[in-house]
Amino acid sequence: MRIQPSDAKLTGLFLDMLAAEQGAGANTLDAYRRDLTDFSEFLGRVGHTFADAETQTLRDYLADLDTRGFKSTSVARRLSAMRHLYRFLLNERIRTEDPAAILSGPKRGRGLPKVLTIADVDRMLRRAKELSEAEDASPSRRLRALRLYCLLEVLYATGLRVSELVALPRSAAKRDARMIVVRGKGNKERLVPLNEASRQAMADYLAATEAAKTEKKKDSLAASKWLFPSSGESGHLTRQHFARDLKELAVASGLQARLVSPHVLRHAFASHLLHNGADLRIVQTLLGHTDISTTQIYTHVVEERLKSLVRDLHPLAET
């Protein structure tokens, strides 16, 4: 009898394929690993493995997720992970059939992203600027405030993913730079323009790091290749740290912390561009979306703008 590989081994092979052939990043690989580990644990409880589970067992797992209170979006993501896994196992001839091929996912309503208004973003930018210019702040507190203001200006100017933002190289802060090269998902590069405010914020922050009073700090920052260095394992500021700082800034700006995150600001960047007349394809390029269908979640913004134009400009529109 042929000995089947363990679920852990198959998961490892699958993740290696995603990294090598599709250029999947660390965050994507971690998400797949978590989803497939949960699936494997369920299979173990009912006496099955990846190699022998049938379609009905997969349906039972999806039902179990629903019983545990998972949202439809989370169930759909787990189903996507299973589909990718079983296509891989089929291609590798570990399975002779795909038990996930005929599964249907949960019906999902059209999810619209949370979006801050332009006024909301302006309030946060003004407050961050005020904190960075506080005369009574200690050097270390002022440096942190300058960093947060820089992060906010660059994020709203570019719409970068938070993982792309915190991992910007120090070279991105060149004073004459009008564009920055961003390495996104799948290790793909794209050019993103900078506005004057974001360039100035980077220049001010970089000058403050170089003027740090203690030689130890100065040497550490000068030696780092990252624009937002940290003493952590990655060498740069973490996504979680920035998210916490951003929520604190939101509260200081009179906004609810639960409504603000780096991803919400990325949504604001895209929505505000479209509202002001930007082409959907241009926004797709700036966001680094491979497929236009991913960007089309923002078409509600375009639709509202078109309705407004017809209402305000059409000669036969009702007054």
Side-chain angles (χ1 to χ4, degrees):
M1 184 177 69
R2 181 182 177 185
I3 299 176
Q4 296 289 355
S6 68
D7 286 357
K9 183 175 181 180
L10 291 178
T11 299
L13 292 172
F14 172 65
L15 296 179
D16 287 345
M17 180 277 295
L18 289 179
E21 297 183 14
Q22 299 183 21
N27 295 331
T28 299
L29 296 176
D30 286 344
Y32 271 110
R33 183 180 290 105
R34 287 193 300 271
D35 289 349
L36 294 177
T37 297
D38 185 74
F39 177 41
S40 176
E41 289 173 351
F42 171 84
L43 291 178
R45 291 196 297 272
V46 297
H48 289 288
T49 65
F50 291 163
D52 62 22
E54 300 298 334
T55 299
Q56 185 55 51
T57 306
L58 272 60
R59 287 198 181 102
D60 293 341
Y61 172 63
L62 297 177
D64 179 69
L65 293 175
D66 185 62
T67 301
R68 285 191 269 161
F70 278 68
K71 294 180 180 179
S72 60
T73 51
S74 298
V75 175
R77 193 190 72 204
R78 297 290 174 94
L79 176 56
S80 176
M82 289 192 296
R83 284 173 172 160
H84 280 83
L85 171 70
Y86 280 109
R87 280 198 292 269
F88 167 73
L89 297 182
L90 191 63
N91 291 335
E92 294 296 312
R93 299 184 180 181
I94 295 170
R95 296 280 307 226
T96 58
E97 78 293 325
D98 182 353
I102 62 173
L103 290 178
S104 58
K107 292 183 178 179
R108 292 185 287 174
R110 185 186 184 189
L112 298 180
K114 298 176 185 176
V115 177
L116 297 171
T117 66
I118 294 175
D120 290 336
V121 178
D122 281 343
R123 285 165 65 184
M124 293 183 67
L125 286 168
R126 285 198 303 271
R127 183 57 179 155
K129 182 71 169 173
E130 290 170 0
L131 292 172
S132 71
E133 295 176 342
E135 295 182 357
D136 58 344
S138 65
S140 61
R141 182 178 291 274
R142 182 171 181 271
L143 186 60
R144 288 195 299 271
L146 280 167
R147 182 181 67 185
L148 180 57
Y149 177 60
C150 178
L151 284 160
L152 186 57
E153 280 284 10
V154 175
L155 177 55
Y156 187 55
T158 62
L160 297 182
R161 298 178 179 91
V162 62
S163 55
E164 297 167 345
L165 176 66
V166 297
L168 281 175
R170 196 176 181 85
S171 59
K174 291 180 180 178
R175 187 174 296 276
D176 59 346
R178 293 292 184 270
M179 309 278 284
I180 55 174
V181 177
V182 178
R183 191 178 298 276
K185 286 188 174 181
N187 214 29
K188 295 179 180 177
E189 292 186 342
R190 69 185 189 278
L191 280 173
V192 179
L194 294 170
N195 60 17
E196 180 58 35
S198 60
R199 290 199 301 271
Q200 188 60 54
M202 286 196 291
D204 291 344
Y205 165 67
L206 196 58
T209 64
E210 292 171 348
K213 286 186 175 180
T214 65
E215 288 301 319
K216 181 178 179 181
K217 179 181 287 187
K218 182 177 179 181
D219 291 343
S220 175
L221 291 171
S224 176
K225 67 177 183 178
W226 308 110
L227 180 57
F228 306 107
S230 168
S231 58
E233 182 180 351
S234 65
H236 59 69
L237 185 72
T238 65
R239 297 174 296 129
Q240 295 82 357
H241 193 146
F242 173 44
R244 288 196 301 270
D245 287 351
L246 196 58
K247 288 186 179 295
E248 290 179 5
L249 177 64
V251 173
S253 305
L255 302 174
Q256 296 183 52
R258 65 180 181 84
L259 299 178
V260 179
S261 71
H263 202 57
V264 168
L265 279 164
R266 176 171 155 87
H267 286 318
F269 162 83
S271 296
H272 296 169
L273 277 180
L274 290 168
H275 181 75
N276 287 318
D279 182 84
L280 194 65
R281 289 282 183 183
I282 298 299
V283 175
Q284 175 195 358
T285 301
L286 292 174
L287 293 176
H289 288 164
T290 302
D291 194 329
I292 188 66
S293 64
T294 309
T295 318
Q296 284 173 342
I297 191 172
Y298 297 105
T299 53
H300 70 289
V301 179
V302 179
E303 290 166 3
E304 288 302 316
R305 183 173 180 273
L306 290 175
K307 289 177 184 177
S308 176
L309 286 173
V310 171
R311 183 182 65 246
D312 295 341
L313 301 179
H314 196 284
L316 298 182
E318 295 182 3
T319 57

